[in-house]
C-alpha cells in the first residue's frame, strides 16, 4: 500500500524549481471559477518557494 502512495505522488522529469506541476494541481482543484491564470501564477510562485526551501534544507 505504501508503494502505491509513493509512486502515485512521484513526478518524474520535472524542471528545476517545481515540486508539484500546475497541471497536476489544477486537476486536484477541479473547476476554477474566475481567471485561472491568476491562480496559476500564484501557485507557481508558491511552488517555487517550497522548492527553494527544500533545496536549502538539503544543502545544509
Amino acid at each position: 500500500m505504501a508503494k502505491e502512495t509513493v509512486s502515485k505522488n512521484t513526478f518524474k522529469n520535472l524542471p528545476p524549481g517545481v515540486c508539484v506541476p500546475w497541471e497536476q494541481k489544477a486537476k486536484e482543484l477541479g473547476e476554477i471559477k474566475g481567471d485561472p491564470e491568476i491562480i496559476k501564477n500564484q501557485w507557481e510562485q508558491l511552488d517555487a518557494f517550497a522548492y527553494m526551501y527544500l533545496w536549502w534544507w538539503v544543502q545544509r
Side-chain angles (χ1 to χ4, degrees):
M1 185 179 223
K3 287 185 179 183
E4 291 178 22
T5 304
V6 171
S7 64
K8 181 177 153 184
N9 294 326
T10 301
F11 302 104
K12 296 183 180 184
N13 301 323
L14 291 177
V18 175
C19 293
V20 178
W22 166 248
E23 293 75 21
Q24 178 65 32
K25 192 62 180 174
K27 289 178 188 175
E28 293 174 13
L29 294 174
E31 180 184 1
I32 298 174
K33 299 182 190 251
D35 187 0
E37 196 63 30
I38 294 172
I39 299 170
K40 177 184 177 192
N41 290 337
Q42 291 299 309
W43 174 256
E44 289 176 344
Q45 288 177 11
L46 178 66
D47 191 57
F49 176 73
Y51 181 91
M52 289 302 295
Y53 179 77
L54 293 171
W55 182 87
W56 184 81
W57 274 103
V58 169
Q59 297 302 317
R60 288 182 57 168

